[in-house]
Amino acid sequence: MLAVTEETIACYSKTIAWAIDRKDPPFSTIALSDYAKDSRADAWLVAHAAEHGLTILTNEKASARKTNAVKIPDAAAAQRVQCLSALELLREHGLRF
């Protein structure tokens, strides 16, 4: 388990600020509230990945025009964090079925 440090909090604040400040199109109030909930892992996941230089493995798809939910790949891209799907990970390592 990764500890929450001052740097984690700074990265978390940065990803929340990105979501709030996005204007084209802006996220809905409900989407922002959901993304910032402590009980949700998405913003914390992006913050930890940004802090530690990690790649996020997710099957969620980026959706830059979506306003009713903050998608992990969109938030990660804004923080310069790489996201891969399970299939992309397998391909990256040369695994085939």
Side-chain angles (χ1 to χ4, degrees):
M1 175 178 276
L2 297 173
V4 175
T5 65
E6 287 183 30
E7 181 66 22
T8 312
I9 300 297
C11 291
Y12 176 83
S13 297
K14 196 171 173 186
T15 191
I16 295 296
W18 162 81
I20 292 168
D21 293 343
R22 190 178 90 159
K23 302 290 185 237
D24 188 28
F27 288 111
S28 70
T29 303
I30 293 171
L32 292 171
S33 176
D34 192 43
Y35 186 62
K37 279 183 186 172
D38 281 342
S39 61
R40 297 277 316 225
D42 294 4
W44 290 107
L45 177 67
V46 172
H48 276 290
E51 177 185 9
H52 298 284
L54 302 173
T55 298
I56 297 173
L57 181 64
T58 180
N59 285 325
E60 226 176 59
K61 300 288 183 207
S63 182
R65 304 301 303 165
K66 191 168 190 160
T67 61
N68 63 344
V70 179
K71 295 295 193 177
I72 291 172
D74 296 323
Q79 305 307 313
R80 293 186 169 84
V81 170
Q82 182 182 16
C83 282
L84 294 174
S85 69
L87 186 58
E88 289 169 328
L89 177 70
L90 293 173
R91 284 183 181 148
E92 189 174 283
H93 289 280
L95 299 172
R96 296 177 186 254
F97 293 94

